[in-house]
């Protein structure tokens, strides 16, 4: 039986990003050879439509380019991700880098200028607090190495 890992749905080819597109990652998709991939889009799970106005983290809030506070939707989506991880016994996740939901260690700063700031997206922070190890799509080799070390 393969270990289940939570994966940002856009990385698996689901057209759920703010622009209505996917961001498929061949490296992430190949992880299915070793893991059961459990797709999730926290923004959609939180009730936001696809496509939607892009959002960024601005301090403790998430705001979209139109200036609307969408923090509650992001928090709902993060709660769904945590609940999914707990129900399925998931301890690892591969999430979309720099996303206001899924980014780990660096996210866009809320100015919509392409500037990054240190910090986690709403879902990445919630999953991390729940004990889930977070990787980005740029770290699939590290995920594979980590699992080889525990086998």
């Amino acid at each position: 039986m393969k270990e289940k890992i939570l994966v940002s749905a856009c990385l698996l080819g689901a057209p759920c990003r703010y622009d209505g597109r996917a961001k498929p990652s061949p490296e992430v998709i190949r992880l299915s050879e070793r893991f059961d991939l459990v797709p999730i889009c926290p923004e959609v799970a939180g009730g936001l439509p696809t496509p939607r106005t892009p959002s960024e983290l601005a301090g403790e809030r998430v705001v979209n380019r139109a200036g609307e506070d969408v923090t509650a939707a992001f928090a709902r989506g993060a709660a769904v991700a945590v609940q999914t991880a707990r129900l399925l016994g998931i301890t690892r996740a591969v999430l979309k880098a720099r996303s206001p939901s899924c980014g780990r260690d660096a996210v866009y700063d809320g100015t919509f200028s392409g500037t990054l700031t240190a910090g986690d997206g709403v879902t990445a922070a919630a999953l991390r607090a729940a004990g889930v190890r977070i990787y980005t799509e740029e770290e699939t080799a590290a995920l594979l190495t980590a699992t080889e070390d525990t086998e």
Side-chain angles (χ1 to χ4, degrees):
M1 189 164 163
K2 295 180 188 177
E3 176 185 353
K4 289 177 175 48
I5 61 172
L6 203 61
V7 179
S8 294
C10 64
L11 297 175
L12 298 175
C16 57
R17 286 171 38 96
Y18 73 91
D19 58 5
R21 296 182 179 174
K23 194 77 165 182
S25 166
E27 294 82 12
V28 173
I29 293 167
R30 270 196 299 276
L31 291 174
S32 67
E33 296 168 6
R34 182 110 178 239
F35 302 98
D36 282 330
L37 307 182
V38 178
I40 188 159
C41 177
E43 295 174 29
V44 172
L48 295 173
T50 302
R52 57 191 165 274
T53 305
S55 299
E56 293 187 2
L57 279 171
E60 297 295 314
R61 299 176 337 148
V62 184
V63 295
N64 67 23
R65 185 174 281 153
E68 300 166 318
D69 187 327
V70 291
T71 306
F74 276 70
R76 283 191 302 271
V80 169
V82 169
Q83 180 181 30
T84 300
R86 285 185 176 143
L87 286 172
L88 298 177
I90 292 172
T91 61
R92 302 175 211 247
V94 177
L95 303 178
K96 180 70 188 95
R98 296 174 288 284
S99 156
S101 288
C102 298
R104 196 211 64 214
D105 297 333
V107 293
Y108 293 107
D109 71 353
T111 63
F112 298 92
S113 64
T115 303
L116 292 171
T117 188
D120 291 335
V122 177
T123 296
L127 286 168
R128 193 183 286 211
V132 176
R133 175 85 191 260
I134 307 299
Y135 299 85
T136 70
E137 74 275 16
E138 299 158 350
E139 300 171 311
T140 56
L143 171 62
L144 291 170
T145 301
T147 57
E148 289 169 0
D149 292 344
T150 60
E151 292 176 350

